[in-house]
Amino acid sequence: MAAVGVVQVHCPECDVVIPITMTAKSPTREGDTLIVNVEPDLTDAMAHVWTHDPTPW
């Protein structure tokens, strides 16, 4: 698995830009079509969401 790029999301509550790394998974093949799966790593985004959670742990 290799990082292939980064997208960004903007938090409307605190005006912070959160980077999300995109990772390429192993390609598969269906007939003569090569399928490349790219998945986001949402760890940082989920951690940021928790900073706005009003419920104490």
Side-chain angles (χ1 to χ4, degrees), residues 5-38:
V6 175
V7 296
Q8 297 176 341
V9 292
H10 179 261
C11 177
E13 291 187 39
C14 64
D15 202 33
V16 169
V17 176
I18 305 159
I20 297 177
T21 304
M22 304 301 283
T23 304
K25 301 294 181 180
S26 299
T28 58
R29 187 177 199 120
E30 284 186 19
D32 60 351
T33 304
L34 180 64
I35 301 170
V36 178
N37 297 311
V38 178

